[in-house]
Amino acid sequence: MATETEHGEIEGFGQVSRTVGTVFRYLLIAATMFGIVTLAVLLVYVANDAIRPLTAGPGWYLTYFFTLVVPTLLVGAYVRTRDRAAFSFGVFLIGLLVVSLMFSGGVGLLVVDVVPPLVALSFALGLAVPAAVAVVLTRNSHRISFTTRLVATSLAFYLSLFGLPGPIGDAAGLPQVVPSFVQFVQSIPVIPVDWMMVAAVVGGGSAAAVGAYVAGVRDARSGLYAGLAAFAVSVASAVVGPFVGLNPVPAVVVTAVALVPTSTYAWRGAFGEDGTPIGLGFAATVVGGALVGAAAVEAFGFAGPQSWVDWQFLTSSHSGSAVDAGLYPAIGGSILLMSTVAALSFPLGVGAAVYLEEYAPDNALTRFVDVNISNLAGVPSVVYGLLGLGVFVTYLGQSAGTVLVGGATLALLILPIVIISSREAIRSVPSDLRQASYGMGATRWQTVRNVVLPEAFPGILTGTILALGRAIGETAPLIMIGAPNVVFSLPTALNSKVSAMPLQVYAWSSLFASEDFYTKAVPAGVVVLLAVLLAMNSVAIVLRNKFERTG
Amino acid sequence: MSTDELETDLTRQTENSPRELLTRTFFFLCAALSIVTTISIVVLLVTEAAKFFTITAPLMGVTGETASLVDFLTGTTWQINSGEFGVLALVSATLMITIGSAVIAIPLGVATAIYLSEYASQRARSVLKPALEILAGVPTVVYGFFALIYITPALATVIPQIGTFNMLSASIVVGIMIIPMVASISEDAMSAVPDDLRQAGYGMGATKFDVATGIVVPAALSGIFSSFILALSRAIGETMAVTIAAGSRAQFLNPVNPASFLEGSLPMTAAMVQLLLGDITGGGLAYRSLFAIGLVLFVITLVMNVISDFVAQRYREEY
């Protein structure tokens, strides 16, 4: 096609100069690097302001150099030359430990300050019992018709969560006759100690996950043993915790959420089939080096960097002076907002994607929905904020700036992204699989549930996590729905006022603008926000890579 | 599942069983939510904006204070306290951010796309593409802080008369933010150019430079233009970076005069945030002006997205 326009160049045939090409090439490289280098420089500046590595003494650096850096380099080089797979397993293991520790911090925040252990326990039981009923009903699905099962399952959940006659009766003014199972649990006179309830809920959940994982890679019996062992370890940690300076509840949470899953993965990677124990050795060197370094620094009394990102910053709330200001309510707010956003946007987004890919007839309406979704993805976030303000706050009468309104607004904002990425994941499922399923007489829903969704799940999950990463950095919609700039306590319910990490950073950098905040609290907040984003994105990337290898 | 279970399952489940209908309805409702969202946005913006203007307010049953539609669209002063709502002051600031970020993002983005699609090795690409994605992934509030605290002082050492809040640093960070968008869409368009064309070029004795600039770029032009429009529509809707870095005092600036980039002004999105932070009563004039700006913003970005789609579809070279 382009031959006419090529006239100029073609006339210059025979006078080829390498200079132009080389200069052009280097210009392109420079252009590509410009944005990356600029951002890298800015990140170095902000990290320097927040962490202040230059304030640490030479003794501190020397100690860590000998306990952490040298062993890591030596063992790392050795493991890498011996077995590359083992090396990447070791690196992955360290990453897993770091990310799961961050995650356990979030869970700990939830069970310590947001949800009282008794309420958590009652709701866990209140959901587990009807779920068990549903499983039993599904097992016997060939004997009971679908409608009966649906009614029975809904009834079980309703009874367990609301009792009789529940909210329906409230509307008609009827008194509560039968208390719900949740209320029943909460009214039991003998209340176990907090850490026992936390161990039951969090430890039970983690033990179930570990058990299911081991049962998947080995067999059901080892899965059961592994689950029991995991639960025992979680419970034991509450007893051991106080001896190493941890309260029982945080000890249980850290063990159940971070240590147990990481060690399960480490055990399998090191001693399972095709295991690589030296990879575990590398991870142990790094973690051990860090611990030994910390102990040595403590023993010799070397001063570390006077970082603004410290325990005080992470656990205190806003203050008029930048040195005392902290991010705690904002971190908790972000966690609650993200939970709400995930709970709303995941089912809705995946549902819409399934409809458009598997069910929708090829007609004008479908094409309209299609165009509509891609246009919604381009609507500025501040307009979504207006939508939240106008619809949820003004018309539906929700109070401004609550977890529910913020979560719903952000969920609408990322819904198009979730739909688009889920559609891509669903589209990449080979149609052979679908045809095989239909060929065996499966209905559309059976095909979707048993073939399409399991195949597409890693891709859907990756897309959802990336979308959540976008939502966690959004500030404008939260301002529009009237989220307060300063919150001094964690939100404890869906209708309590919420702040979020980016909102707090914005408040510090514009409403409390002063040299003090610019150089202390804001850089620290930025570093924490970016660290959370980095953790989320690396989880998504690891999932994507795993998915691409197998898929 | 044992055989008889399978059999009952297979014989009973048809496309019209209650379960199929229920799941189908659920999925359909999920998809329909996107239409509901769009309709809510449009209805909300139009009705609330209509309550703002003198000419349409009586239709909506509003009796309180209103503003003139003509003044809104042609006025160049934005002073809420004195009741002057001239949106052109805000539009000029938004236009400056758009021009400024385009000057940065368009050449750099296209050059990045050419490098990634024509020059980079597989290995370099696998490193550079995620690195570029990070540029778009950093929260915009962080970019705003960077612009205010690091970029403006750095610029002040070169241009001493620059203000604390200025359009230049805001444009720079918005430009950096949208580079990945230009680069990835343009690169997709360039990668879609068939290899035959490149081979034909080499066969005629063209150098790599000739092929990249003379064959690949013209062949991918529609995709490149559509990436410009999409990225600029993103720049227009960008909120936090400009709110923090561009200032809070609305003034009408000449967008094509480079000197005005040294001053601060109030882009549309920043004006919306500022309105919200002030004392705003639901239903008041300031509250309704929010939706009037929102409508202008929504219409501009929607039109740009539609044009971008149109360009990509209409002028695509079919191979």
Side-chain angles (χ1 to χ4, degrees):
Chain A
M1 38 116 313
T3 38
E4 284 89 356
T5 59
E6 291 315 286
H7 242 306
E9 271 89 0
I10 290 164
E11 273 174 2
F13 191 79
Q15 302 161 11
V16 177
S17 149
R18 295 188 71 150
T19 333
V20 180
T22 316
V23 169
F24 184 63
R25 190 191 164 95
Y26 281 107
L27 274 180
L28 292 183
I29 296 179
T32 310
M33 297 311 293
F34 174 80
I36 300 173
V37 170
T38 313
L39 184 67
V41 170
L42 291 170
L43 289 178
V44 167
Y45 266 98
V46 75
N48 181 42
D49 277 354
I51 301 172
R52 302 207 293 170
L54 300 180
T55 52
W60 189 86
Y61 277 110
L62 272 179
T63 315
Y64 272 106
F65 183 74
F66 284 114
T67 57
L68 180 62
V69 178
V70 171
T72 302
L73 289 179
L74 289 178
V75 178
Y78 170 73
V79 173
R80 204 172 162 194
T81 45
R82 273 282 300 273
D83 186 354
R84 275 194 96 123
F87 180 72
S88 51
F89 166 68
V91 173
F92 181 74
L93 203 55
I94 297 164
L96 182 65
L97 184 67
V98 171
V99 170
S100 63
L101 277 176
M102 282 172 76
F103 192 69
S104 75
V107 175
L109 179 150
L110 284 180
V111 298
V112 171
D113 273 350
V114 179
V115 190
L118 182 62
V119 176
L121 180 71
S122 62
F123 274 97
L125 289 176
L127 287 174
V129 171
V133 173
V135 169
V136 171
L137 284 171
T138 315
R139 282 276 167 82
N140 297 310
S141 61
H142 53 291
R143 266 178 259 141
I144 313 164
S145 84
F146 171 73
T147 327
T148 325
R149 271 191 292 141
L150 184 72
V151 171
T153 313
S154 325
L155 206 63
F157 273 102
Y158 188 85
L159 273 180
S160 168
L161 292 177
F162 304 119
L164 268 184
I168 301 175
D170 286 350
L174 297 175
Q176 187 84 341
V177 182
V178 184
S180 69
F181 186 62
V182 170
Q183 286 165 330
F184 171 72
V185 173
Q186 290 182 8
S187 67
I188 299 177
V190 189
I191 298 176
V193 192
D194 275 1
W195 68 260
M196 290 186 186
M197 294 189 280
V198 172
V201 177
V202 182
S206 115
V210 166
Y213 174 73
V214 174
V217 296
R218 281 269 185 82
D219 52 284
R221 179 175 285 268
S222 4
L224 181 66
Y225 290 148
L228 286 177
F231 189 66
V233 171
S234 301
V235 173
S237 68
V239 184
V240 180
F243 293 103
V244 291
L246 269 178
N247 286 330
V249 172
V252 169
V253 171
V254 168
T255 313
V257 178
L259 301 184
V260 165
T262 309
S263 8
T264 313
Y265 186 82
W267 187 265
R268 165 149 195 259
F271 306 110
E273 270 175 67
D274 318 318
T276 47
I278 56 169
L280 181 60
F282 172 61
T285 313
V286 177
V287 175
L291 290 179
V292 170
V297 165
E298 182 88 2
F300 295 129
F302 292 135
Q306 304 290 309
S307 166
W308 298 117
V309 188
D310 55 5
W311 192 245
Q312 179 272 332
F313 181 74
L314 294 175
T315 55
S316 52
S317 53
H318 170 75
S319 154
S321 83
V323 182
D324 302 325
L327 204 59
Y328 189 63
I331 296 175
S334 279
I335 293 175
L336 283 181
L337 278 175
M338 283 312 107
S339 318
T340 318
V341 172
L344 288 173
S345 64
F346 186 73
L348 292 175
V350 176
V354 168
Y355 180 78
L356 291 172
E357 286 297 315
E358 302 289 323
Y359 286 87
D362 185 20
N363 58 17
L365 178 70
T366 309
R367 276 193 294 278
F368 176 66
V369 174
D370 212 7
V371 173
N372 182 35
I373 287 172
S374 57
N375 277 324
L376 274 182
V379 171
S381 61
V382 62
V383 172
Y384 279 99
L386 274 187
L387 180 69
L389 174 70
V391 172
F392 297 134
V393 178
T394 308
Y395 282 109
L396 298 181
Q398 301 282 326
S399 49
T402 61
V403 178
L404 188 62
V405 172
T409 307
L410 290 178
L412 282 182
L413 169 70
I414 63 165
L415 206 51
I417 315 173
V418 175
I419 295 177
I420 291 169
S421 60
S422 305
R423 284 187 74 174
E424 259 163 39
I426 290 174
R427 206 175 303 148
S428 70
V429 175
S431 66
D432 304 7
L433 294 178
R434 282 188 197 93
Q435 300 309 334
S437 172
Y438 288 133
M440 299 211 300
T443 62
R444 214 173 273 239
W445 163 240
Q446 287 170 331
T447 307
V448 166
R449 190 188 64 179
N450 298 328
V451 177
V452 175
L453 284 184
E455 280 291 314
F457 189 69
I460 293 175
L461 204 58
T462 308
T464 309
I465 296 175
L466 289 177
L468 283 179
R470 161 113 194 261
I472 206 172
E474 279 294 346
T475 323
L478 293 177
I479 297 179
M480 301 311 279
I481 59 146
N485 293 304
V486 172
V487 175
F488 289 100
S489 59
L490 282 183
T492 49
L494 283 179
N495 57 5
S496 46
K497 297 258 181 191
V498 66
S499 181
M501 288 190 278
L503 191 57
Q504 186 69 71
V505 170
Y506 166 68
W508 283 336
S509 62
S510 73
L511 306 180
F512 299 93
S514 69
E515 197 58 31
D516 214 24
F517 274 101
Y518 283 165
T519 50
K520 298 185 178 95
V522 181
V526 166
V527 165
V528 173
L529 179 60
L530 290 178
V532 171
L533 259 180
L534 186 69
M536 286 173 74
N537 283 338
S538 48
V539 168
I541 287 167
V542 165
L543 274 173
R544 180 163 64 193
N545 289 348
K546 260 195 146 70
F547 173 56
E548 275 176 355
R549 262 208 303 276
T550 54
Chain B
M1 258 191 210
S2 68
T3 341
D4 57 328
E5 274 177 46
L6 257 183
E7 211 176 281
T8 42
D9 233 23
L10 291 181
T11 46
R12 203 180 55 230
Q13 299 298 334
T14 63
E15 289 289 331
N16 289 322
S17 69
R19 178 158 69 173
E20 291 298 317
L21 286 176
L22 194 74
T23 49
R24 191 193 177 92
T25 314
F26 170 74
F27 292 141
F28 176 74
L29 289 179
C30 292
L33 181 65
S34 73
I35 298 184
V36 175
T37 311
T38 312
I39 294 175
S40 325
I41 292 179
V42 172
V43 169
L44 179 81
L45 292 180
V46 169
T47 55
E48 291 293 324
K51 289 179 193 166
F52 176 69
F53 298 119
T54 318
I55 191 166
T56 46
L59 301 175
M60 308 296 300
V62 175
T63 50
E65 228 183 329
T66 50
S68 152
L69 174 63
V70 178
D71 285 354
F72 179 76
L73 291 179
T74 57
T76 53
T77 321
W78 183 267
Q79 278 282 356
I80 301 161
N81 297 335
S82 55
E84 288 184 86
F85 296 93
V87 83
L88 282 188
L90 311 181
V91 171
S92 76
T94 298
L95 196 59
M96 284 175 69
I97 296 287
T98 315
I99 294 173
S101 58
V103 166
I104 291 183
I106 287 183
L108 291 179
V110 173
T112 306
I114 297 176
Y115 181 71
L116 288 178
S117 131
E118 302 302 311
Y119 285 84
S121 64
Q122 189 62 42
R123 199 185 155 87
R125 208 174 310 163
S126 70
V127 176
L128 285 174
K129 283 184 89 167
L132 279 169
E133 289 307 312
I134 293 176
L135 293 184
V138 171
T140 57
V141 62
V142 173
Y143 271 119
F145 173 71
F146 285 166
L148 181 64
I149 301 302
Y150 301 122
I151 296 183
T152 300
L155 290 173
T157 58
V158 188
I159 318 163
Q161 67 272 34
I162 199 165
T164 314
F165 299 106
N166 60 79
M167 307 302 271
L168 185 55
S169 60
S171 306
I172 291 175
V173 288
V174 174
I176 290 176
M177 207 181 298
I178 61 174
I179 288 176
M181 199 153 184
V182 178
S184 74
I185 301 177
S186 301
E187 197 224 328
D188 285 347
M190 291 179 196
S191 306
V193 173
D195 250 358
D196 300 2
L197 293 184
R198 293 191 186 84
Q199 300 305 341
Y202 291 128
M204 306 268 287
T207 62
K208 192 150 193 169
F209 170 72
D210 296 335
V211 169
T213 55
I215 295 179
V216 176
V217 170
L221 213 53
S222 71
I224 295 174
F225 268 114
S226 104
S227 83
F228 293 169
I229 301 171
L230 267 189
L232 294 185
S233 119
R234 167 76 69 83
I236 290 174
E238 167 40 44
T239 310
M240 291 324 290
V242 296
T243 305
I244 295 176
S248 54
R249 199 168 52 86
Q251 55 174 333
F252 184 76
L253 296 169
N254 178 6
V256 287
N257 177 11
S260 49
F261 276 89
L262 303 180
E263 297 180 53
S265 184
L266 193 67
M268 284 191 280
T269 48
M272 290 165 81
V273 170
Q274 200 193 38
L275 276 169
L276 243 293
L277 292 176
D279 268 337
I280 186 164
T281 44
L285 192 61
Y287 174 83
R288 283 175 273 138
S289 74
L290 201 60
F291 290 88
I293 311 173
L295 184 62
V296 174
L297 187 67
F298 178 72
V299 168
I300 293 177
T301 49
L302 184 71
V303 166
M304 290 182 78
N305 286 348
V306 170
I307 292 177
S308 154
D309 248 21
F310 179 75
V311 169
Q313 300 289 332
R314 175 71 179 72
Y315 295 101
R316 186 167 55 197
E317 305 271 354
E318 296 285 353
Y319 305 107

